[in-house]
C-alpha cells in the first residue's frame, strides 16, 4: 500500500477541527441555533401576469421605512427571470467570474498553496459562489453552514428575509421570526449588494414592457393572422345554426360566425395600417438593448455589432469593469466570511482569481514568428509545441530562395523586371513590423483557382484571354466589395443623399477598376513567364504551368487577403468619418488596438487629438494592416494633446506626398492610383472597347426569346403619380437595390420620364413601366457596369439593372433601369424596355441571378 504524505500544515491541525467551522458553539457542542430549523411558512406565490403597477407597489413595500416586506419584490424577480434574454445575460455574467481560475495564496510570500486551493475546487463552492453572485442581482443572499463535513448550506428564502433589519420572517407578512444578529446563530453568511435592491430592480420595468409587448404581439398574430370563417344561412332554428357552428369550429382555429343570409360583415383593417412586427419588434429590441447595458455594460457582447472595434470596446468594458467588479465582490466574500468560517485556513491565507493573460495558440505563434525573423528556433520544440510535422525548409521553385514562412512577398527581381513594362507588384509586408497569418484553405477561392487554370491554358495556347480576365476581375471585386460593405457601419440606415452613399459608390467603382487592372497585370506576367531566360526558349507546358501557379498564388490568395483586410479597414474608418462629419464632431482621438503588434510610431500617437477641420490627412488607415481608428472627443480637450495632421504624419514618418498622407474617406478611394497593378495610359478607351465586346452571349447567357418560367407582368395604364412617394422633406423618392445600395430618383427626372414623348410609344411608355422599377432593382436577373469614365482621378461607371418578364400576351419582355453616381449619391437616370438586347445586355456582369445561371 502506498503511503500518502500529509502536508505539514494539515498535520499540525486538531483532528476534529480540520474540516469543521470555527464558531465555538457549532464545533464543540452543536448548541448553536440553526436557521434551517426556523419554521418558515410555505405560502402562496402570485404567478399571474404582472405590470409596472405591480412593480411600483412591490418596490414601495420593500422600501417601507417602518415595516419593509420583500416577498412581492422577490416574487417579481422570480417572475421576470423567465425572460430568456435576461436569464442568459445573468448566466453569462456569472460564468465570466466562475470560469476564471483561482487559487489560495500565502499573503506574505505570494506563493500559491495548491493543497488549500483544491479544498475549494468542489461543487459546493461553485454553488455557494453562484448564489452569492446572485445577491448582486437580487440584493442579498443569506445562508448557514449546517454540515461542516460535507459543507452543506441552508439558503434562506429571499422572500422571507428583511435586509434592512437582518430579520427572517416565519410568514412573509408577519412579525414573528428571528434576527440573524443573535449570537446564538453561528456559521451564518449574509451577503448584500452595495445597491439595496439589486440591479434586477432597475430592469424589471423593461422586462415587463417587453413581456407584455410580446404577449400583445402574439395576440395580434392570433387575431389577424388567421382569416375568419363566416357562414350565411336562411335557417333560423337553433339546431341548424348550432350544427353549422360546430362544423365551422371543427375546421380550425379561425374566428367563426353564423349569420342570416344577407348580413354584411366588415373586418376592420387596423392591422393593415400599422405594421405590428415593426412596432413590437422595435420595442422588444430596445428593451433588450437597455437590459444588456445594465447587466453587461454594453449591447455588442451577445448581439451583432456595427463594427469590430466597437464590439471590442464593449467586450473590454465588460471584462475590465463589470466582470472584474464581480470578482472583487466574490474575493471579499470568500476572504472576509467563508475562509474564517472554515477551520482549515489561517489568517494569512488569501483567495484570489487568476488575472494573468493566457496566450492563444495563434498569439503564441505570432510571437514565435517575430523571433524566427532574427533567430534560429529548435525544430523539435516547434514540432512539439505547434504539432507541425516539420521536414525542412521550403524552396520556392518559381523564383528560388527561401520562401517566407507565412507570407509570400513580391519577388523583388521579378517585380523589377515587370516594372519596366508598367506592371507594379505589391510588397504588402514591406512596411509592417508584425507577422501575417499563413493562407488557409477557407480563404482560397475555388472559383479564382479554376479561372486561374483557365487563364494559364489561354496564355499557353495563345487564345484570347478577355473572358477569363474579366471573370477573375469580377470574382476578386465581389470579394473586396463584401469586405467594404460588411465593415461600413449603419450602411442600410444612412440617408439616400448622404455623403456615405456617394463615397460608397465611388469606392465600389474603384474596387472594380483595381481588380480589372490586377488581372491585366497577371496576364502580362504570365506571358513573360512563357520564356525561360536562362535557356532562351519557350518553357514546356508543365514547367510553365508550375511557374504560373506559383506566381498566381500571390495575387489570388496572399495579396488578395491583404487587399480584403485593407478594404475592410477603409470601410470601417470611412463610414465613421462621414458619421463624424454629419454630427459636426470637432475633435477626434487616435486609438490603437493596444496589442503587441502595433507599430511603434502608431503607438506614439495613442491618445493624440486632431481637429476635424484640419484636413484630416492623418485619418487611418495609415499603412497595410493598420488597425488604428479615430474616436470622438467630448468637450474641449487638453491643448497639450492636440496635434495637427502634418505633425501626426511626421510622427508616422509619412512624407506629405505619400499615398498614405491622405484620408481615403475624403478622396473616396480604397486604392489610390499608385497602388494599381497596371500603369498603362489610355485605359478609358481600352475599357470602353472591352465593354462593347462583352455581350451577354460571351457569358453563356441565353437570348430573351429562349427564356422560360419568367414572372408575369401586366403593363397597363396607371395613375403613375401615386407610385412616386418622396422621402419626407426632400424632392426625391428613395430606392434600395439587391445589395442594399441607396438610390434616389429626383422629382423633376420622374416627371420628365412620365410625360410627353416618354409617355408614348415613341420612347417606350415609361409611365406604365415605372411601377416595376423597385422590383427590377431589388430582384435583377443581370447587372452590368457600363460606360467607363475617368474624372478627377476617380473611376466612374453607369450601372444597368435588367430583369425579364412575360406579359399578359405571353411575350417575353426585358426591362432595364440605368443608374449613375451624381454629386449627391446614386441616382436613377432612366428606365425603359430593351428593344435590342445586344446593345443593352453587355458590359462587366457584376451580378447574375443564381436561379438564372446557365
Amino acid at each position: 500500500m502506498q503511503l500518502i504524505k500529509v502536508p505539514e500544515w494539515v498535520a499540525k491541525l486538531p483532528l476534529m477541527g480540520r474540516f469543521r467551522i470555527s464558531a465555538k458553539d457549532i464545533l464543540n457542542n452543536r448548541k448553536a441555533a440553526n436557521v434551517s430549523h426556523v419554521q418558515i411558512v410555505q405560502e402562496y406565490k402570485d404567478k399571474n401576469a404582472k405590470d409596472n403597477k405591480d412593480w411600483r407597489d412591490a418596490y414601495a413595500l420593500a422600501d417601507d421605512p417602518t415595516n419593509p416586506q420583500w416577498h412581492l419584490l422577490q416574487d417579481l424577480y422570480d417572475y421576470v427571470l423567465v425572460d430568456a434574454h435576461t436569464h442568459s445575460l445573468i448566466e453569462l455574467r456569472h460564468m465570466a467570474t466562475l470560469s476564471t481560475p483561482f487559487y489560495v495564496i500565502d499573503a506574505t510570500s505570494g506563493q500559491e498553496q495548491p493543497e488549500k486551493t483544491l479544498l475549494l475546487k468542489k461543487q459546493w463552492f461553485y454553488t455557494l459562489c453562484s448564489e452569492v453572485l446572485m445577491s448582486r442581482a437580487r440584493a442579498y443572499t443569506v445562508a448557514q453552514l449546517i454540515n461542516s463535513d460535507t459543507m452543506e448550506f441552508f439558503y434562506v428564502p429571499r422572500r422571507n428575509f428583511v435586509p434592512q433589519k437582518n430579520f427572517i420572517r416565519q410568514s412573509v407578512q408577519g412579525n414573528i421570526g428571528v434576527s440573524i444578529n443573535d449570537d446564538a446563530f453561528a456559521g451564518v453568511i449574509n451577503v448584500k449588494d452595495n445597491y439595496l435592491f439589486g440591479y434586477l430592480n432597475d430592469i424589471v420595468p423593461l422586462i415587463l414592457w417587453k413581456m407584455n409587448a410580446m404577449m400583445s404581439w402574439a395576440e395580434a398574430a392570433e387575431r389577424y393572422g388567421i382569416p375568419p370563417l363566416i357562414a350565411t344561412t336562411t335557417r333560423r332554428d337553433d339546431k341548424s345554426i348550432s350544427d353549422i357552428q360546430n362544423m365551422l369550429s371543427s375546421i380550425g382555429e379561425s374566428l367563426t360566425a353564423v349569420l342570416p343570409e344577407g348580413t354584411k360583415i366588415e373586418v376592420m383593417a387596423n392591422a393593415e395600417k400599422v405594421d405590428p412586427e415593426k412596432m413590437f419588434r422595435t420595442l422588444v429590441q430596445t428593451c433588450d438593448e437597455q437590459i444588456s447595458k445594465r447587466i453587461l455594460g454594453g449591447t455588442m457582447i451577445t448581439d451583432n455589432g456595427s463594427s469590430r472595434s466597437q464590439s471590442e470596446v464593449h467586450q473590454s468594458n465588460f471584462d475590465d469593469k463589470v466582470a472584474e467588479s464581480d470578482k472583487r465582490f466574490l474575493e471579499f466574500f470568500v476572504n472576509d466570511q467563508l475562509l474564517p468560517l472554515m477551520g482549515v485556513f489561517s489568517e494569512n491565507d488569501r483567495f484570489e482569481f487568476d488575472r494573468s493573460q493566457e496566450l492563444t495558440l495563434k498569439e503564441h505563434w505570432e510571437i514565435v514568428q517575430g523571433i524566427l525573423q532574427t533567430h534560429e528556433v529548435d525544430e523539435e520544440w516547434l514540432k512539439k509545441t505547434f504539432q507541425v510535422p516539420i521536414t525542412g525548409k521550403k524552396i520556392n521553385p518559381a523564383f528560388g530562395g527561401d520562401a517566407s514562412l507565412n507570407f509570400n512577398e513580391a519577388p523583388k527581381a521579378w517585380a523589377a523586371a515587370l516594372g519596366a513594362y508598367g506592371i507594379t507588384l505589391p510588397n504588402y509586408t514591406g512596411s509592417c513590423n508584425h507577422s501575417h497569418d499563413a493562407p488557409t484553405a477557407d480563404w482560397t477561392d475555388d472559383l479564382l483557382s479554376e479561372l486561374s487554370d483557365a487563364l494559364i491554358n489561354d496564355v499557353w495556347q495563345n487564345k484570347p484571354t478577355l473572358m477569363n480576365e474579366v471573370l477573375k476581375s469580377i470574382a476578386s471585386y465581389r470579394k473586396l466589395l463584401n469586405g467594404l460593405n460588411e465593415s461600413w457601419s449603419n450602411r442600410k440606415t444612412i440617408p439616400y443623399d448622404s455623403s456615405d452613399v456617394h463615397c460608397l459608390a465611388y469606392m465600389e467603382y474603384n474596387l472594380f477598376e483595381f481588380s480589372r487592372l490586377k488581372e491585366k497585370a497577371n496576364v502580362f506576367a504570365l506571358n513573360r513567364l512563357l520564356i525561360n531566360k536562362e535557356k532562351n526558349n519557350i518553357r514546356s507546358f508543365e514547367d510553365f504551368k508550375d511557374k504560373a501557379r506559383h506566381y498566381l498564388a500571390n495575387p489570388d490568395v496572399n495579396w488578395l487577403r491583404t487587399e480584403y483586410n485593407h478594404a475592410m479597414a477603409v470601410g470601417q474608418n470611412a463610414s465613421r468619418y462621414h458619421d463624424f462629419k454629419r454630427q459636426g464632431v470637432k475633435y477626434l482621438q487616435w486609438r490603437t488596438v493596444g496589442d503587441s503588434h502595433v507599430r511603434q510610431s502608431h503607438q506614439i500617437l495613442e491618445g493624440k487629438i486632431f481637429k476635424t477641420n484640419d484636413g484630416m490627412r492623418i485619418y487611418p488607415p495609415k499603412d497595410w494592416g493598420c488597425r488604428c481608428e479615430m474616436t470622438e472627443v467630448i468637450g474641449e480637450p487638453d491643448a497639450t494633446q492636440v496635434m495637427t495632421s502634418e505633425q501626426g504624419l511626421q510622427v508616422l514618418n509619412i512624407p506629405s506626398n505619400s499615398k498614405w498622407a491622405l484620408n481615403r474617406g475624403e478622396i473616396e478611394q480604397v486604392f489610390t492610383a499608385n497602388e494599381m497593378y497596371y500603369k498603362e495610359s489610355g485605359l478609358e478607351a481600352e475599357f470602353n472597347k472591352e465593354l462593347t465586346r462583352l455581350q451577354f452571349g460571351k457569358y453563356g447567357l441565353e437570348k430573351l426569346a429562349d427564356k422560360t418560367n419568367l414572372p408575369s407582368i401586366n403593363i397597363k395604364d396607371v395613375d403613375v403619380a401615386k407610385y412616386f412617394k418622396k422621402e419626407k422633406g426632400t424632392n426625391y423618392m428613395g430606392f434600395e437595390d439587391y445589395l442594399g445600395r441607396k438610390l434616389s430618383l429626383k422629382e423633376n427626372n420622374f416627371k420628365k420620364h412620365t410625360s410627353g414623348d416618354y409617355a408614348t410609344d415613341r420612347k417606350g411608355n415609361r409611365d406604365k413601366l415605372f411601377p416595376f422599377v423597385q422590383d427590377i432593382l431589388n430582384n435583377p436577373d443581370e447587372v452590368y457596369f457600363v460606360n467607363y469614365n475617368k474624372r478627377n482621378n476617380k473611376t466612374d461607371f453607369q450601372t444597368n439593372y435588367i430583369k425579364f418578364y412575360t406579359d399578359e400576351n405571353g411575350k417575353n419582355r426585358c426591362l432595364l433601369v440605368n443608374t449613375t453616381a451624381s454629386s449627391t449619391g446614386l441616382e436613377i437616370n432612366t428606365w425603359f424596355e430593351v428593344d435590342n438586347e445586344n446593345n443593352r445586355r453587355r458590359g462587366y456582369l457584376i451580378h447574375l441571378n443564381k436561379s438564372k445561371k446557365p
Side-chain angles (χ1 to χ4, degrees):
M1 177 172 57
Q2 183 179 3
L3 296 176
I4 300 176
K5 184 178 179 180
V6 179
E8 183 179 353
W9 61 268
V10 175
K12 292 180 179 179
L13 291 173
L15 181 62
M16 294 302 294
R18 290 177 190 170
F19 299 102
R20 295 187 180 276
I21 62 176
S22 59
K24 183 177 179 180
D25 287 340
I26 202 168
L27 283 174
N28 298 333
N29 53 27
R30 299 299 178 111
K31 293 180 180 179
N34 200 326
V35 171
S36 64
H37 294 162
V38 176
Q39 298 299 314
I40 295 177
V41 180
Q42 299 296 319
E43 297 175 275
Y44 168 75
K45 288 185 180 181
D46 182 7
K47 298 181 180 179
N48 293 319
K50 309 294 183 186
D51 57 26
N52 280 346
K53 183 179 183 304
D54 295 309
W55 167 70
R56 288 191 293 270
D57 292 344
Y59 180 28
L61 190 62
D63 198 33
D64 187 336
T66 57
N67 185 28
Q69 299 179 39
W70 281 74
H71 62 288
L72 292 181
L73 191 59
Q74 291 293 348
D75 291 350
L76 192 57
Y77 290 167
D78 287 334
Y79 176 79
V80 298
L81 281 176
V82 301
D83 175 53
H85 180 72
T86 305
H87 201 105
S88 67
L89 295 180
I90 293 176
E91 281 192 340
L92 176 62
R93 177 168 171 170
H94 287 185
M95 290 304 104
T97 297
L98 298 178
S99 299
T100 304
F102 61 82
Y103 38 73
V104 177
I105 66 170
D106 185 298
T108 303
S109 65
Q111 297 297 314
E112 181 187 356
Q113 304 182 75
E115 299 88 351
K116 293 186 178 182
T117 301
L118 286 175
L119 295 178
L120 297 181
K121 290 188 174 182
K122 306 290 184 182
Q123 182 176 351
W124 68 264
F125 179 71
Y126 286 95
T127 302
L128 175 62
C129 288
S130 181
E131 287 293 330
V132 169
L133 285 176
M134 187 57 81
S135 65
R136 306 211 72 180
R138 305 188 60 155
Y140 50 82
T141 296
V142 179
Q144 184 181 30
L145 180 61
I146 58 176
N147 189 329
S148 60
D149 294 325
T150 62
M151 293 305 292
E152 179 184 355
F153 285 85
F154 169 74
Y155 296 96
V156 175
R158 290 187 175 90
R159 67 196 309 265
N160 290 79
F161 186 67
V162 182
Q164 294 96 324
K165 300 182 179 182
N166 289 336
F167 188 78
I168 302 174
R169 299 179 187 270
Q170 287 187 351
S171 173
V172 295
Q173 299 186 53
N175 292 320
I176 300 175
V178 296
S179 172
I180 62 173
N181 293 335
D182 193 325
D183 292 338
F185 288 99
V188 175
I189 289 171
N190 181 13
V191 183
K192 299 178 183 178
D193 187 45
N194 295 331
Y195 175 40
L196 177 60
F197 300 97
Y199 62 72
L200 266 180
N201 189 60
D202 295 344
I203 58 176
V204 164
L206 294 166
I207 302 174
L208 293 176
W209 283 329
K210 172 188 171 182
M211 295 172 74
N212 291 330
M214 294 183 71
M215 286 189 288
S216 299
W217 191 357
E219 184 179 349
E222 180 180 355
R223 179 170 299 180
Y224 298 109
I226 304 176
L229 299 177
I230 300 173
T232 59
T233 178
T234 58
R235 305 296 294 270
R236 300 294 183 122
D237 58 288
D238 293 342
K239 183 178 184 306
S240 298
I241 293 174
S242 177
D243 290 342
I244 296 172
Q245 180 68 53
N246 290 335
M247 285 187 288
L248 288 177
S249 300
S250 66
I251 292 176
E253 298 181 356
S254 301
L255 297 173
T256 61
V258 181
L259 306 169
E261 187 175 9
T263 302
K264 181 179 179 181
I265 293 292
E266 182 177 354
V267 179
M268 300 302 293
N270 288 339
E272 299 176 1
K273 296 178 181 179
V274 178
D275 182 355
E277 179 180 359
K278 181 178 180 181
M279 177 174 63
F280 292 120
R281 185 185 295 277
T282 300
L283 177 58
V284 170
Q285 289 177 341
T286 301
C287 288
D288 278 346
E289 289 173 358
Q290 298 301 310
I291 293 169
S292 296
K293 289 178 181 179
R294 181 61 182 91
I295 299 178
L296 301 184
T299 60
M300 297 186 187
I301 299 170
T302 58
D303 300 325
N304 292 330
S306 59
S307 74
R308 177 181 175 181
S309 62
Q310 290 174 317
S311 298
E312 290 174 345
V313 170
H314 285 227
Q315 184 67 52
S316 175
N317 285 339
F318 175 67
D319 292 338
D320 298 340
K321 297 178 177 64
V322 179
E324 179 61 25
S325 173
D326 285 346
K327 291 172 186 175
R328 286 198 302 269
F329 184 82
L330 206 54
E331 284 174 341
F332 291 150
F333 156 70
V334 174
N335 289 314
D336 296 344
Q337 295 196 54
L338 181 62
L339 296 189
L341 195 64
M342 303 174 67
V344 178
F345 298 94
S346 68
E347 294 182 355
N348 209 35
D349 292 331
R350 303 300 297 170
F351 169 87
E352 288 185 1
F353 282 103
D354 184 358
R355 290 176 172 83
S356 61
Q357 296 294 322
E358 183 176 349
L359 294 177
T360 64
L361 190 62
K362 178 180 177 182
E363 292 170 335
H364 193 182
W365 173 240
E366 289 175 348
I367 294 173
V368 172
Q369 280 183 297
I371 298 173
L372 285 169
Q373 303 301 316
T374 54
H375 295 77
E376 292 290 336
V377 177
D378 181 36
E379 289 187 0
E380 290 301 320
W381 179 84
L382 285 173
K383 290 179 184 179
K384 181 180 178 181
T385 304
F386 298 102
Q387 299 295 305
V388 178
I390 300 174
T391 59
K393 294 183 178 180
K394 183 177 179 181
I395 302 298
N396 190 323
F399 309 108
D402 292 343
S404 170
L405 288 175
N406 289 86
F407 198 87
N408 297 325
E409 295 186 16
K412 294 178 176 58
W414 178 246
L418 291 175
Y421 299 93
I423 305 298
T424 302
L425 299 185
N427 184 7
Y428 293 129
T429 61
S431 59
C432 297
N433 69 349
H434 64 282
S435 57
H436 294 251
D437 298 330
T440 55
D442 62 334
W443 179 257
T444 304
D445 192 307
D446 291 338
L447 175 60
L448 279 175
S449 180
E450 292 175 10
L451 290 171
S452 285
D453 282 345
L455 201 59
I456 291 170
N457 288 327
D458 287 346
V459 172
W460 172 256
Q461 298 175 28
N462 198 26
K463 289 183 177 180
T465 60
L466 176 61
M467 284 312 303
N468 284 318
E469 279 186 63
V470 169
L471 292 175
K472 276 199 72 182
S473 302
I474 294 170
S476 297
Y477 147 80
R478 286 176 177 167
K479 209 171 192 72
L480 296 176
L481 182 63
N482 285 340
L484 179 70
N485 284 341
E486 288 174 9
S487 61
W488 199 284
S489 60
N490 301 322
R491 186 170 66 92
K492 293 191 176 182
T493 60
I494 55 180
Y496 291 89
D497 57 352
S498 69
S499 59
D500 299 56
V501 176
H502 190 269
C503 184
L504 265 170
Y506 277 103
M507 283 187 170
E508 180 177 355
Y509 299 153
N510 172 258
L511 290 178
F512 187 86
E513 182 185 40
F514 175 83
S515 301
R516 183 68 193 94
L517 292 177
K518 181 178 181 178
E519 292 311 319
K520 289 180 72 68
N522 284 340
V523 171
F524 191 95
L526 291 179
N527 277 284
R528 297 291 298 171
L529 278 175
L530 278 171
I531 302 173
N532 186 335
K533 287 188 175 182
E534 294 179 1
K535 297 181 180 180
N536 197 27
N537 62 6
I538 302 295
R539 298 182 189 274
S540 67
F541 176 67
E542 292 302 322
D543 186 22
F544 167 67
K545 185 178 180 179
D546 183 53
K547 298 289 188 292
R549 281 183 168 176
H550 276 289
Y551 165 73
L552 290 175
N554 276 312
D556 290 354
V557 182
N558 297 330
W559 297 340
L560 180 59
R561 183 187 49 196
T562 297
E563 290 152 6
Y564 173 86
N565 291 338
H566 178 65
M568 289 195 71
V570 170
Q572 177 175 315
N573 281 288
S575 64
R576 300 191 71 190
Y577 172 71
H578 287 279
D579 193 35
F580 292 144
K581 284 177 62 177
R582 273 196 302 275
Q583 297 176 25
V585 176
K586 294 182 179 180
Y587 295 97
L588 296 176
Q589 190 169 39
W590 180 279
R591 290 295 187 187
T592 68
V593 295
D595 61 21
S596 59
H597 301 308
V598 176
R599 300 163 178 83
Q600 183 177 3
S601 60
H602 292 215
Q603 184 63 49
I604 294 173
L605 288 183
E606 174 69 35
K608 298 301 182 183
I609 297 172
F610 302 88
K611 294 181 179 180
T612 53
N613 62 2
D614 187 28
M616 293 308 294
R617 298 177 68 210
I618 189 65
Y619 203 83
K622 279 291 166 276
D623 213 332
W624 303 115
C626 175
R627 299 163 295 159
C628 301
E629 64 179 4
M630 291 286 195
T631 59
E632 179 182 356
V633 176
I634 306 298
E636 286 296 322
D638 182 353
T640 61
Q641 293 295 308
V642 179
M643 300 177 68
T644 66
S645 287
E646 297 305 318
Q647 290 172 330
L649 292 174
Q650 289 175 10
V651 171
L652 299 177
N653 197 26
I654 296 177
S656 59
N657 60 348
S658 167
K659 65 187 178 184
W660 295 109
L662 46 79
N663 179 353
R664 297 181 189 238
E666 189 66 40
I667 67 170
E668 301 178 325
Q669 293 178 12
V670 180
F671 297 95
T672 60
N674 57 5
E675 291 166 348
M676 300 291 182
Y677 282 71
Y678 197 70
K679 306 298 180 185
E680 184 180 335
S681 60
L683 287 176
E684 185 169 350
E686 186 175 343
F687 274 23
N688 281 304
K689 184 178 178 181
E690 282 184 2
L691 290 170
T692 61
R693 297 168 56 193
L694 293 171
Q695 295 177 338
F696 68 94
K698 297 283 188 180
Y699 296 100
L701 304 177
E702 60 187 355
K703 296 180 180 179
L704 173 64
D706 297 333
K707 292 185 176 293
T708 58
N709 301 321
L710 298 177
S712 59
I713 188 174
N714 187 4
I715 300 175
K716 58 184 179 180
D717 290 324
V718 295
D719 180 8
V720 69
K722 75 176 184 179
Y723 288 96
F724 187 79
K725 300 177 181 179
K726 292 189 291 186
E727 297 296 312
K728 186 175 181 180
T730 72
N731 67 338
Y732 61 81
M733 179 177 177
F735 294 83
E736 289 190 15
D737 74 355
Y738 65 102
L739 280 183
R741 298 184 184 97
K742 296 292 184 83
L743 304 106
S744 61
L745 174 62
K746 291 184 178 178
E747 185 174 22
N748 58 357
N749 197 23
F750 165 76
K751 291 180 178 179
K752 172 184 174 182
H753 285 80
T754 54
S755 61
D757 289 343
Y758 289 98
T760 66
D761 289 337
R762 182 176 175 183
K763 290 195 175 181
N765 295 318
R766 299 188 195 190
D767 55 331
K768 299 177 184 178
L769 300 179
F770 180 73
F772 306 105
V773 168
Q774 185 64 76
D775 181 48
I776 299 170
L777 294 172
N778 285 154
N779 307 289
D781 292 321
E782 298 168 4
V783 181
Y784 297 89
F785 277 160
V786 296
N787 298 343
Y788 171 85
N789 289 293
K790 198 78 171 177
R791 296 190 183 96
N792 299 323
N793 207 30
K794 283 186 182 179
T795 308
D796 195 6
F797 283 102
Q798 289 188 22
T799 308
N800 284 342
Y801 297 78
I802 291 176
K803 188 171 178 65
F804 308 108
Y805 299 92
T806 298
D807 67 14
E808 63 273 17
N809 299 318
K811 179 184 176 182
N812 288 356
R813 315 286 285 263
C814 175
L815 303 189
L816 180 149
V817 177
N818 174 264
T819 71
T820 190
S822 70
S823 59
T824 56
L826 281 174
E827 283 193 24
I828 296 174
N829 293 326
T830 185
W831 62 95
F832 53 84
E833 181 176 1
V834 172
D835 56 0
N836 186 336
E837 57 182 328
N838 287 328
N839 289 339
R840 299 299 182 181
R841 293 178 64 193
R842 63 176 177 82
Y844 297 122
L845 181 64
I846 64 169
H847 171 77
L848 178 66
N849 190 328
K850 292 182 179 180
S851 63
K852 306 296 176 64
K853 286 185 178 179

